[in-house]
Amino acid sequence: MQNLRYPKLFIRSKNELAKHISHEGFSKEDALFLINDVLKNFDRYWKDSKHSDPIKAKYIRNAKGTNLGLLLQKINTMVLAPHDKMLPKFIFGGIKDMDHVKAARHLLGSKRKRTLLKTDLKRFFEQVSHERVFDFFRYKCGCDDRASKVLAYLCCVPLGQKHSSTKEKSIARGFATSPRLSVWCNLDIFIKLDRLIKGALKGNDPKLAIYVDDIGITASKVSREKMEGVLSEVEKLFLNSDKKQKLILNKEKNKTKITSHEDGIEYVGINLLRNKLKVGRKAKSKRDKIKKELKKDMPKEERFSLRKKQRAMNNYKRYVEST
């Protein structure tokens, strides 16, 4: 039986997938031709981006300008995106109109003396396996076995560098479908996390925000020790979940930390004050650097480019602080 918190897709075949992604000017026949072409030439249509980080085993996959890139964009916008409103209000990132600024604003509270626990999920996309993507379409969304295999195949690639010998597959960094699939495939555990936070910090105005792989938890008038206990419970929840949904937190320096308003608290690069937001240290440093550079003599074209960057930074600052 399909879970009511998931989209009712019921895609049973390539033909029905073609119907989902067809529209005026792009017929069902065009869509089916696109699907078959990508299935036949899948490996030819993506490559590892030069922006990948092999040391951290983070490979960004690039399918732009290919039929695979076009098909993934259509699946993202016409199959997945229409169901964004079903997601809980603490989910941000990769979701329409739910950016990092809104994620930071969500963590502001009505009570004083807030403390922030922030952490992130280690190699998050790589933790979302091909099997979990198949299960999402097959058992959560009610799709047919054949259609679920096709969708999982299109959205996943082998772990590691392209052409490596590994048989393990996960959603791909850089594919249009990956941000939404990372949320949907982890929705059950994220809801359990929300319940854990509300129970552990009851009476302290707890707030949870998840922006892609960045997790932020705030509460008022809680000790550092209590927040450390919450962190321990979060880690246990992620590690002791269903084997298919096990998640690992990133324990690297500055990735997992607890801070209070007295220390200054930042989440996704934004400074959280009593009841408003300010741009964080990195953004402020960039603005200051541009301002300093503009005092120097330079060619007209270079000055124009810097002025353009300055306007963009000022617009960003206004957006953050007006929220």
Side-chain angles (χ1 to χ4, degrees):
M1 184 177 177
Q2 191 211 22
N3 193 311
L4 294 177
R5 69 170 61 130
Y6 289 93
K8 297 178 181 180
L9 299 177
F10 301 132
I11 301 172
R12 293 172 295 181
S13 64
K14 288 190 294 183
N15 282 318
E16 288 197 2
L17 176 57
K19 286 182 184 178
H20 273 73
I21 64 171
S22 61
H23 51 83
E24 187 178 352
F26 188 71
S27 68
K28 177 192 165 186
E29 290 71 27
D30 291 335
L32 187 58
F33 177 86
L34 177 66
I35 293 167
N36 285 326
D37 176 64
V38 171
L39 290 173
K40 183 179 178 181
N41 299 290
F42 183 81
D43 281 341
R44 289 179 49 209
Y45 286 157
W46 68 273
K47 60 184 178 181
D48 290 337
S49 166
K50 62 182 180 181
H51 300 295
S52 299
D53 189 346
I55 295 175
K56 293 184 178 180
K58 290 183 178 180
Y59 290 92
I60 300 170
R61 321 299 188 168
N62 185 354
K64 292 180 180 178
T66 71
N67 276 354
L68 171 60
L70 175 62
L71 178 55
L72 290 170
Q73 193 63 50
K74 288 184 180 296
I75 292 172
N76 186 46
T77 57
M78 303 183 77
V79 176
L80 298 175
H83 306 284
D84 283 355
K85 289 183 180 179
M86 294 181 69
L87 291 166
K89 300 301 182 185
F90 58 81
I91 298 289
F92 302 85
I95 308 301
K96 187 177 179 181
D97 298 328
M98 301 295 268
D99 61 20
H100 72 293
V101 178
K102 290 179 180 177
R105 180 179 64 180
H106 187 73
L107 293 176
L108 297 177
S110 58
K111 297 181 180 180
R112 296 177 181 274
K113 296 183 179 179
R114 290 190 80 71
T115 299
L116 167 70
L117 160 59
K118 72 172 182 177
T119 185
D120 73 11
L121 295 161
K122 190 172 184 179
R123 298 178 64 228
F124 182 39
F125 284 3
E126 288 79 7
Q127 292 192 57
V128 183
S129 68
H130 175 276
E131 183 180 10
R132 289 174 62 191
V133 177
F134 171 83
D135 286 352
F136 164 66
F137 286 114
R138 180 69 182 90
Y139 302 112
K140 306 294 188 181
C141 302
C143 295
D144 183 88
D145 191 76
R146 294 168 300 169
S148 300
K149 285 179 179 178
V150 168
L151 285 160
Y153 178 81
L154 293 171
C155 297
C156 297
V157 297
L159 293 175
Q161 191 171 10
K162 187 173 182 181
H163 301 309
S164 63
S165 58
T166 182
K167 293 184 179 179
E168 289 184 77
K169 297 171 73 176
S170 73
I171 59 173
R173 291 174 181 272
F175 279 13
T177 49
S178 293
R180 283 188 170 89
L181 285 176
S182 70
V183 170
W184 284 114
C185 291
N186 287 289
L187 185 57
D188 288 348
I189 196 169
F190 287 160
I191 289 173
K192 288 178 184 178
L193 173 62
D194 184 52
R195 290 173 183 161
L196 185 157
I197 300 307
K198 287 175 179 175
L201 297 168
K202 186 177 180 180
N204 299 106
D205 189 29
K207 304 282 185 180
L208 167 68
I210 299 175
Y211 180 77
V212 191
D213 59 348
D214 286 297
I215 298 172
I217 300 163
T218 58
S220 292
K221 299 179 180 179
V222 293
S223 65
R224 182 179 183 86
E225 291 71 25
K226 187 167 185 176
M227 277 301 216
E228 286 173 347
V230 170
L231 174 60
S232 178
E233 290 301 310
V234 171
E235 194 168 15
K236 286 178 186 176
L237 171 69
F238 285 167
L239 288 176
N240 296 331
S241 265
D242 181 279
K243 187 177 179 181
K244 292 180 183 178
Q245 275 200 316
K246 190 175 291 187
L247 293 174
I248 300 171
L249 295 181
N250 192 339
K251 291 307 210 48
E252 292 179 18
K253 187 179 179 181
N254 292 326
K255 292 294 184 179
T256 296
K257 62 192 300 187
I258 298 168
T259 51
S260 64
H261 266 148
E262 288 74 18
D263 309 316
I265 58 179
E266 272 195 17
Y267 174 69
V268 291
I270 295 175
N271 195 3
L272 280 64
L273 302 181
R274 164 70 180 85
N275 54 10
K276 62 182 180 179
L277 305 176
K278 288 192 72 173
V279 293
R281 290 185 295 272
K282 285 187 178 179
K284 185 178 183 303
S285 176
K286 285 182 181 178
R287 288 181 69 246
D288 292 344
K289 185 177 180 180
I290 290 172
K291 188 176 180 180
K292 186 177 179 180
E293 287 294 313
L294 284 169
K295 292 179 180 179
K296 301 177 181 177
D297 290 329
M298 65 184 71
K300 186 177 179 180
E301 295 78 9
E302 189 175 337
R303 183 173 296 277
F304 177 80
S305 177
L306 275 177
R307 288 286 188 194
K308 190 175 180 180
K309 289 180 182 178
Q310 186 182 49
R311 283 195 297 274
M313 292 297 296
N314 287 339
N315 288 338
Y316 174 69
K317 180 176 184 293
R318 280 193 291 271
Y319 174 56
V320 169
E321 299 182 359
S322 67
T323 323

